[in-house]
Amino acid sequence: MIFLYIYLLLVLLLSLIFKKKGILLNYSGDVHQFFSNRKNIPLTGGLFILIPIVFFLNDLLINFFIFSIYLVGFFSDRKILASPKKRFLIQCLLILLFVAIFDVKINSSRIELFDVILNNKFFAIFFSTFCLLILINGSNFIDGLNGILISSIIIILFMLTRLNLIDNSIISDQSINLIMLILLLLLLLNIFNVLMLGDSGAYLLGFFIGFLIISSHRSNPDISPYFFISLIWYPCFENLFSILRKLNREFSPLKPDSKHLHQLVLFFLTKKFDLKLILSNNLSSGIICFFNFLIIYISTLNPSNTFFQIKLISTSIIFYNVSYMLLFKFYKSNLMSKK
């Protein structure tokens, strides 16, 4: 435990030094960044969570893929890998290899016809790859405001350990608890604009939690697969919704914009209550995290009941769409009033 305290202290000190010295800064002036933050903040959160994850997993080949996913995000943060298409293609290749090598497949959907298709090896690999890609990029999408992604990961990890669903052949419950403590520190530093996760941290956490959830699904066949979907419904649906929304506007799904749900919540609070950007940023995150926590908590009340989980996911999606529609209407009306 003494090593944990030393590491937490190092993270705190290094974060303050990086911010003071201006190391690994993030602000590029892009529209989607300007929407929620106008300060140069170090993108070091991914690095600080990469080290304990690699240490606790202690599997050379798994760590290779984790480090590779982190590097894709790191090069994106540094504008070395600026092309969204190239990033996505590299992600596809890495995830496809990972799924094939480690047989990271979904056992059952509890839909008889779809399960027959899942029994096909090639389709099973494709489907698991697709799911992980949706989660990884969805995690990056929801990381537009302080604390949303980190809070979501903490909640998911807490619920998995609380229900004893972690596959201990992959990582121990004790290691997960230590990772949660590190994430709590990163959450505080993120809220106070000392650091951000960046693409590197978002890709890393999305990949890590996706791998854990599929492993937990495979080792707990009595638990409904839709319970695990309930845990990650928000980043996944945010990604799918964003893709459809952008295609409808004839806009590339790979390019960032400023019309995600969390950005519209931020816009509403800023305009409606005339709040400072940092306050409305953290308040928006708090509201979204609270509702996401409620959904995930409710899902844990009956994790084995597929019908219960499907109703919960459906209700969550309906609530998301109604909220988005109302917030987007407010957004458009304010833009029109300026003209």
Side-chain angles (χ1 to χ4, degrees):
M1 203 66 178
I2 186 67
F3 294 107
L4 173 67
Y5 295 138
I6 293 172
Y7 185 72
L8 291 175
L9 181 60
L10 280 174
V11 169
L12 178 59
L13 292 175
L14 288 173
S15 297
L16 295 173
I17 291 171
F18 285 177
K19 184 172 175 63
K20 185 176 181 179
K21 298 293 184 181
I23 300 173
L24 298 176
L25 298 178
N26 77 309
Y27 188 61
S28 64
D30 293 339
V31 173
H32 67 287
Q33 284 186 327
F34 187 80
F35 196 93
S36 60
N37 200 336
R38 297 165 194 171
K39 292 183 178 180
N40 254 320
I41 301 168
L43 297 173
T44 51
L47 175 63
F48 293 139
I49 195 59
L50 170 69
I51 295 170
I53 287 176
V54 166
F55 177 78
F56 289 131
L57 284 175
N58 197 27
D59 183 297
L60 188 60
L61 192 52
I62 293 177
N63 287 340
F64 165 78
F65 283 100
I66 286 176
F67 187 66
S68 298
I69 291 292
Y70 169 82
L71 280 182
V72 173
F74 178 81
F75 290 138
S76 172
D77 290 333
R78 305 321 306 155
K79 306 302 178 186
I80 297 170
L81 191 57
S83 169
K85 290 182 180 178
K86 289 180 181 178
R87 288 200 303 270
F88 183 69
L89 287 174
I90 295 171
Q91 284 180 356
C92 288
L93 178 60
L94 287 171
I95 300 302
L96 189 62
L97 285 172
F98 177 77
V99 169
I101 291 171
F102 288 97
D103 195 30
V104 183
K105 294 184 293 186
I106 295 168
N107 284 336
S108 170
S109 66
R110 295 196 178 179
I111 299 174
E112 188 174 347
L113 178 61
F114 192 69
D115 283 348
V116 171
I117 303 174
L118 273 178
N119 285 329
N120 180 281
K121 180 180 179 180
F122 296 105
F123 180 81
I125 291 173
F126 165 79
F127 185 68
S128 295
T129 300
F130 172 78
C131 291
L132 282 171
L133 285 169
I134 289 292
L135 178 56
I136 288 169
N137 289 285
S139 298
N140 195 34
F141 281 174
I142 69 170
D143 192 41
L145 298 183
N146 292 347
I148 293 182
L149 177 58
I150 300 176
S151 297
S152 298
I153 299 298
I154 291 172
I155 293 167
I156 293 168
L157 291 176
F158 176 76
M159 294 304 179
L160 287 174
T161 53
R162 177 173 169 265
L163 295 176
N164 196 29
L165 296 178
I166 295 290
D167 183 354
N168 291 140
S169 67
I170 303 295
I171 191 170
S172 68
D173 288 339
Q174 182 182 11
S175 296
I176 291 294
N177 290 333
L178 296 178
I179 288 173
M180 282 194 286
L181 286 175
I182 294 167
L183 285 172
L184 281 171
L185 175 59
L186 296 181
L187 176 62
L188 290 174
L189 295 174
N190 187 211
I191 288 172
F192 289 103
N193 272 348
V194 177
L195 59 73
M196 288 185 173
L197 289 174
D199 291 351
S200 55
Y203 291 164
L204 170 66
L205 285 177
F207 179 72
F208 175 66
I209 202 69
F211 175 48
L212 277 189
I213 283 177
I214 293 178
S215 300
S216 297
H217 158 68
R218 289 171 62 84
S219 60
N220 296 277
D222 293 336
I223 301 296
S224 171
Y226 298 92
F227 164 73
F228 296 105
I229 295 175
S230 295
L231 296 179
I232 54 173
W233 81 274
Y234 173 45
C236 290
F237 185 73
E238 177 70 56
N239 192 358
L240 292 170
F241 182 83
S242 178
I243 290 171
L244 294 174
R245 172 174 58 80
K246 290 176 182 178
L247 288 175
N248 185 54
R249 294 170 50 223
E250 298 183 352
F251 185 77
S252 173
L254 297 175
K255 292 184 178 179
D257 69 355
S258 57
K259 295 182 179 61
H260 295 291
L261 177 68
H262 59 270
Q263 293 165 323
L264 295 181
V265 173
L266 173 71
F267 183 85
F268 174 80
L269 292 177
T270 303
K271 294 295 180 182
K272 191 74 174 178
F273 302 104
D274 194 29
L275 300 175
K276 291 183 178 180
L277 193 56
I278 182 64
L279 179 58
S280 56
N281 186 318
N282 289 329
L283 183 58
S284 302
S285 299
I287 291 170
I288 292 172
C289 289
F290 173 73
F291 281 104
N292 194 36
F293 170 77
L294 282 181
I295 292 163
I296 292 175
Y297 173 74
I298 292 170
S299 74
T300 66
L301 299 179
N302 201 348
S304 299
N305 189 316
T306 291
F307 186 59
F308 177 84
Q309 298 297 329
I310 291 175
K311 286 195 297 181
L312 179 61
I313 294 167
S314 301
T315 302
S316 304
I317 290 173
I318 291 170
F319 182 76
Y320 178 104
N321 280 284
V322 171
S323 301
Y324 190 94
M325 181 181 65
L326 294 174
L327 289 167
F328 189 68
K329 184 178 179 181
F330 178 84
Y331 174 78
K332 286 181 66 177
S333 64
N334 273 267
L335 289 184
M336 292 298 292
S337 64
K338 284 185 178 180
K339 296 178 181 179

